[in-house]
């Protein structure tokens, strides 16, 4: 099996992105899964297209994208992406879409197709803080998560309805999702009371999540809901 693992470049004035630094250190093979790594620009549109092209080239079984969520204290698998771009700040090329759909013909939202609760549990078992997030935001991270799930959904529908592609009910569709990671300590030296996590812990957390993806065909039934 193969997993396409993507991570964003630094943005918003930061000199590094812990997502990218961690992905560089993730093992090249976990369980029986080959890891293919891809650096993605923090840019609306371009980020999606680059990953689309990589999916077509690599033909992975899984796509897992990693991004920075400064201010969060935990590694956060994301449950859902919504069809909206609403950028608080410009991206790395100066684009700042506000209240714009990512794909006008897409669903209002797409849920991760990865075993997100099993991923949270696996990270926590490593002694690393983890949390199941119900919002990937409205910046380039949500943009990419939504775009990948949109693309995979449309591709599957096309294959099911096209005579060009022999379809089998036993075919395993590509599964995809997103994880947000906190700042690392060197990013918060001048940021008071902002949480961070050691880079080595983020790497271990991502490897635990990938292990959970490899061994869980379906997600676990765990009570990770929120009251607010």
């Amino acid at each position: 099996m193969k997993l396409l693992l993507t991570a964003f470049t630094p943005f918003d004035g930061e000199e590094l992105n812990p997502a990218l630094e961690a992905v560089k250190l993730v093992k090249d093979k976990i369980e029986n899964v080959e890891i293919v790594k891809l650096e993605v620009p923090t840019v609306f549109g371009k980020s999606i297209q680059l990953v689309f092209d990589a999916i077509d080239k690599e033909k992975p079984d899984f796509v897992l994208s990693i991004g920075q969520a400064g201010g969060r204290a935990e590694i956060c698998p994301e449950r859902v992406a919504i069809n909206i771009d609403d950028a608080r700040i410009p991206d790395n090329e100066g684009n700042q879409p506000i209240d714009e759909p990512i794909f006008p013909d897409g669903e209002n939202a797409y849920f991760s197709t990865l075993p997100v609760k099993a991923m949270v549990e696996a990270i926590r078992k490593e002694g690393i803080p983890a949390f199941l997030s119900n919002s990937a935001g409205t910046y380039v991270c949500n943009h990419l998560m939504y775009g990948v799930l949109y693309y995979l959904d449309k591709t599957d529908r096309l294959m099911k309805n096209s005579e060009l592609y022999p379809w089998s009910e036993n075919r395993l569709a590509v599964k995809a999702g997103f994880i947000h990671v906190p700042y690392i300590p060197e990013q918060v030296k001048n940021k008071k009371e902002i949480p961070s996590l050691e880079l080595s812990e983020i790497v271990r957390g991502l490897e635990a999540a990938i292990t959970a993806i490899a061994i869980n065909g379906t997600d676990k039934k765990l009570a990770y809901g929120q009251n607010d």
Side-chain angles (χ1 to χ4, degrees):
M1 292 192 291
K2 183 186 291 186
L3 183 145
L4 177 62
L5 183 63
T6 84
F8 285 108
T9 55
F11 66 99
D12 195 21
E14 296 287 343
E15 294 183 358
L16 54 81
N17 189 322
L20 182 58
E21 299 307 311
V23 162
K24 290 176 182 177
L25 298 174
V26 166
K27 295 172 186 174
D28 292 328
K29 189 168 185 179
I30 298 174
E31 296 289 326
N32 63 335
V33 178
E34 174 191 357
I35 311 298
V36 178
K37 301 174 184 179
L38 179 67
E39 181 177 322
V40 178
T42 306
V43 178
F44 289 99
K46 281 188 178 180
S47 55
I48 289 179
Q49 189 57 55
L50 187 66
V51 178
F52 286 178
D53 293 343
I55 292 170
D56 289 344
K57 177 185 176 182
E58 300 292 343
K59 297 177 174 55
D61 300 279
F62 311 102
V63 181
L64 177 60
S65 299
I66 315 298
Q68 169 191 291
R72 294 193 189 184
E74 308 94 353
I75 296 176
C76 298
E78 297 292 346
R79 194 200 300 253
V80 62
I82 60 174
N83 191 10
I84 195 74
D85 286 334
D86 192 6
R88 176 183 60 85
I89 57 173
D91 68 14
N92 285 355
E93 291 189 356
N95 305 298
Q96 192 175 8
I98 297 174
D99 295 338
E100 295 181 10
I102 300 168
F103 287 100
D105 65 334
E107 302 291 336
N108 289 334
Y110 289 106
F111 284 91
S112 172
T113 49
L114 297 177
V116 289
K117 291 185 176 182
M119 291 158 66
V120 171
E121 183 181 58
I123 297 167
R124 289 177 175 175
K125 282 186 176 179
E126 291 294 316
I128 300 166
F131 181 78
L132 180 59
S133 170
N134 291 307
S135 173
T138 57
Y139 194 53
V140 187
C141 290
N142 176 79
H143 179 84
L144 179 61
M145 180 183 177
Y146 182 92
V148 169
L149 291 166
Y150 165 92
Y151 179 73
L152 294 174
D153 178 61
K154 294 296 183 182
T155 300
D156 278 349
R157 290 175 188 269
L158 174 65
M159 291 178 69
K160 284 179 180 178
N161 296 318
S162 174
E163 295 179 358
L164 298 176
Y165 297 96
W167 180 261
S168 167
E169 290 299 327
N170 296 322
R171 177 183 175 275
L172 294 176
V174 180
K175 296 180 180 180
F178 197 99
I179 292 178
H180 268 119
V181 300
Y183 285 136
I184 53 179
E186 46 263 59
Q187 291 179 281
V188 299
K189 289 178 180 177
N190 298 315
K191 297 181 176 78
K192 293 183 178 180
E193 299 181 1
I194 300 295
S196 65
L197 196 60
E198 292 289 344
L199 180 60
S200 60
E201 297 287 273
I202 295 175
V203 174
R204 285 202 304 120
L206 295 183
E207 291 179 346
I210 293 169
T211 299
I213 292 168
I215 66 177
N216 288 277
T218 57
D219 206 358
K220 295 188 175 183
K221 282 284 187 181
L222 301 169
Y224 283 165
Q226 298 171 250
N227 293 330
D228 55 355

